Amino acid sequence: NGKFAFVELRTMKEAENALNLNNIPYMGAMLRVGRPSKYTGAVSAHGNWEDILAKYMSGELTLPNAGGGATSAAAVVPAPMAAVPSAPPTRVVELKNMLTMEDLTSDVDYQEVMEDTKDECSQFGSLKSVIIPRTGVGATKIFLEYMTSEDAAK
């Protein structure tokens, strides 16, 4: 009926990494990625797409070819791709060129930027989270996650 699929992976590691894709948005729906209901093998710790995306956006997780200490979950994070015009909108908004590294050095300044960002950006819709990485590839960017893609598009 087109509502489910079974995928067999070559290794346990690939299967563990694939589990991190649970809840990834795809063509307007959230994909469920999980083990079969009658699975009896070893259970490994894993996140879901929101966890992996948040770690990647904060710089805590890097791609293996991006230099730095990539964690095991990094292998499942795809390289950033150019936006496809027909792609459905997401709930995440990335703001660039809003901050400098100097804005992130002081804890007081960082908290002030975080509060100002929440106050200003919540005028456009319900914010679920605000992530402002202080280090890594995402440093100086602001990531806003809204409750709905409609709020993010405003």
Side-chain angles (χ1 to χ4, degrees), residues 78-154:
M81 298 183 338
V84 177
S86 63
T90 69
R91 296 179 296 139
V92 178
V93 175
E94 176 184 353
L95 303 178
K96 298 178 184 177
N97 303 320
M98 301 286 293
L99 302 171
T100 65
M101 288 304 289
E102 295 164 4
D103 295 325
L104 304 175
T105 54
S106 160
D107 288 342
V108 172
D109 291 345
Y110 179 81
Q111 282 305 107
E112 187 174 304
V113 168
M114 184 70 85
E115 290 172 18
D116 290 347
T117 301
K118 286 179 183 176
D119 289 344
E120 290 298 319
C121 295
S122 64
Q123 296 176 31
F124 299 100
S126 299
L127 277 173
K128 182 175 181 181
S129 64
V130 175
I131 297 174
I132 304 176
R134 294 174 96 167
T135 60
V137 294
T140 73
K141 295 180 182 179
I142 300 173
F143 297 95
L144 309 169
E145 182 182 12
Y146 285 91
M147 297 300 285
T148 67
S149 57
E150 291 79 18
D151 287 346
K154 292 179 185 176

Side-chain angles (χ1 to χ4, degrees), residues 57-68:
M57 289 189 311
S58 71
E60 182 182 339
L61 190 65
T62 59
L63 296 172
N65 61 357

Side-chain angles (χ1 to χ4, degrees), residues 8-119:
E8 186 173 324
L9 298 161
R10 293 176 292 199
T11 66
M12 289 291 291
K13 188 68 174 164
E14 285 180 356
E16 291 169 8
N17 286 340
L19 291 171
N20 290 315
L21 296 174
N22 190 38
N23 290 331
I24 190 170
Y26 180 73
M27 297 183 69
M30 304 299 269
L31 292 184
R32 183 190 172 286
V33 178
R35 297 212 186 261
S37 59
K38 295 181 181 180
Y39 177 74
T40 59
V43 177
S44 60
H46 60 83
N48 60 39
W49 180 247
E50 291 92 350
D51 300 333
I52 300 303
L53 182 60
K55 288 179 181 180
Y56 178 71
M57 289 189 311
S58 71
E60 182 182 339
L61 190 65
T62 59
L63 296 172
N65 61 357
T71 64
S72 62
V76 302
V77 180
M81 298 183 338
V84 177
S86 63
T90 69
R91 296 179 296 139
V92 178
V93 175
E94 176 184 353
L95 303 178
K96 298 178 184 177
N97 303 320
M98 301 286 293
L99 302 171
T100 65
M101 288 304 289
E102 295 164 4
D103 295 325
L104 304 175
T105 54
S106 160
D107 288 342
V108 172
D109 291 345
Y110 179 81
Q111 282 305 107
E112 187 174 304
V113 168
M114 184 70 85
E115 290 172 18
D116 290 347
T117 301
K118 286 179 183 176
D119 289 344

